Amino acid sequence: MENQDIKKAGLKITLPRVKILTLLEKHGGHLSAEDVYKILLEEGEEIGLATVYRVLTQFESAGLVVRQNFESGQSVFEIDNGTHHDHLVCLKCGKVEEFLDATIEKRQEAIARQHGFSIKDHALVIYGYCNKPECSAE
Amino acid sequence: MENQDIKKAGLKITLPRVKILTLLEKHGGHLSAEDVYKILLEEGEEIGLATVYRVLTQFESAGLVVRQNFESGQSVFEIDNGTHHDHLVCLKCGKVEEFLDATIEKRQEAIARQHGFSIKDHALVIYGYCNKPECSAE
DNA sequence: GATGATAATGATAAATCTTCTCATTATCAT
DNA sequence: ATGATAATGAGAAGATTTATCATTATCATC
């Protein structure tokens, strides 16, 4: 029940917040603020773009969603289900796949330690061409 | 001699291009287009911001420089010395350190293969706090 | 269930980063 | 030196995101 998540974050339960969180859960994928705005408009919801940006940032602070900065120039958001993962992005069709590799995670910790960094976060994105016929060529 | 690099890229040797490439080599670090523009202005050069953006993009296409997209929201550029590496970024002071880990590189190849992706590029950035006293405290 | 303090919304303006336009200027092969 | 062509720079414009602020909704309390 996503309403409880919103409340736990110290935020009031409002229609825009419920709509946005529900959409992200339903969609499952990686949506930009503009994506969220357009989809909600198409579904007949009345919502402002500023509200979408504001709510997504609040959800990020609250740990409800995770922000990803791919090369596209705009941030995309996905539900934070608690399991960290990295991304593979197809440069042709934009498909995003997720992966988690224990070896890489461990090495990162070691590298941060070697450099005297206390690791806070990391972003690993592999860019390439997926195996769809129209993408694999190039 | 950087003039040869510019020529090899199929670009005419112009003052702005030489200035920008020289600055990046001299500085060694990671500069944004705005950084490059300001530094050149301070050095008394006459140059337009549009030219800086244009030239940096051309240099990127030519493989002379590498573009990095950190969380800052703006692209930063560094000379491409041919040796790929990843980055550690301090969230407090902005310090950037470089590293290369063979294990991680190999695992990425394997992961891309497993997912049917032909890997084109990747970006790994570890965010954290460096060991300077003013940064290491959370 | 009504009330009121407070937070949230949405339209718009503005900030930020980057690219485009186009008249002027510089480069370089001849 | 000349001329075809590419490059520059100033400003406009585009794209993404944030700030402003009057109006509206939420929710604890009565």
Side-chain angles (χ1 to χ4, degrees), chain A residues 28-91:
Chain A
H30 303 74
L31 297 175
S32 70
E34 193 78 31
D35 291 336
V36 170
Y37 176 63
K38 279 186 187 155
I39 292 172
L40 288 178
L41 283 191
E42 280 167 14
E43 290 180 354
E45 306 296 340
E46 281 198 8
I47 197 163
L49 181 55
T51 302
V52 175
Y53 274 102
R54 205 188 296 117
V55 168
L56 285 173
T57 303
Q58 290 166 338
F59 284 177
E60 183 194 11
S61 301
L64 296 180
V65 305
V66 180
R67 179 194 300 260
Q68 305 292 340
N69 296 292
F70 297 155
E71 282 182 1
S72 64
Q74 55 185 4
S75 297
V76 296
F77 299 83
E78 61 179 325
I79 288 289
D80 185 356
N81 60 6
T83 64
H84 160 76
H85 54 255
D86 295 307
H87 296 90
L88 275 155
V89 178
C90 177
L91 292 168

Side-chain angles (χ1 to χ4, degrees), chain A residues 97 101 107 115 120 127, chain B residues 97 101 107 115 120 127:
Chain A
E97 293 197 15
D101 187 84
R107 289 299 302 148
H115 286 258
K120 189 86 193 344
Y127 297 96
Chain B
E97 292 196 17
D101 188 85
R107 287 299 303 149
H115 286 257
K120 188 87 191 350
Y127 297 95

Side-chain angles (χ1 to χ4, degrees), chain A residues 9-25:
Chain A
L11 301 169
K12 289 186 177 172
I13 296 169
T14 64
L15 224 46
R17 287 181 181 144
V18 174
K19 296 291 181 196
I20 292 171
L21 197 52
T22 304
L23 172 59
L24 284 172
E25 283 177 345

Side-chain angles (χ1 to χ4, degrees), chain B residues 17 23 26 35 55 64 69 90 98 103-104 120-121:
Chain B
R17 285 180 183 146
L23 172 59
K26 188 179 62 184
D35 292 335
V55 168
L64 297 179
N69 297 291
C90 176
E98 303 175 349
T103 306
I104 291 179
K120 188 87 191 350
D121 191 16

Side-chain angles (χ1 to χ4, degrees), chain A residues 88 90 97-99 101 104 107 111 115-131, chain B residues 88 90 97-99 101 104 107 111 115-131:
Chain A
L88 275 155
C90 177
E97 293 197 15
E98 303 174 351
F99 70 90
D101 187 84
I104 291 179
R107 289 299 302 148
I111 290 160
H115 286 258
F117 273 65
S118 74
I119 196 168
K120 189 86 193 344
D121 191 15
H122 73 261
L124 169 55
V125 186
I126 299 177
Y127 297 96
Y129 299 106
C130 75
N131 55 10
Chain B
L88 274 155
C90 176
E97 292 196 17
E98 303 175 349
F99 70 89
D101 188 85
I104 291 179
R107 287 299 303 149
I111 289 160
H115 286 257
F117 274 64
S118 73
I119 196 168
K120 188 87 191 350
D121 191 16
H122 73 261
L124 168 55
V125 187
I126 300 178
Y127 297 95
Y129 300 106
C130 75
N131 55 10

Side-chain angles (χ1 to χ4, degrees), chain B residues 4-36:
Chain B
Q4 290 313 308
D5 295 329
I6 296 174
K7 191 172 278 179
K8 270 186 229 153
L11 301 170
K12 289 186 177 173
I13 297 169
T14 63
L15 225 46
R17 285 180 183 146
V18 175
K19 297 290 182 197
I20 292 171
L21 197 51
T22 304
L23 172 59
L24 284 172
E25 283 176 345
K26 188 179 62 184
H27 187 277
H30 303 74
L31 297 175
S32 69
E34 193 80 29
D35 292 335
V36 170

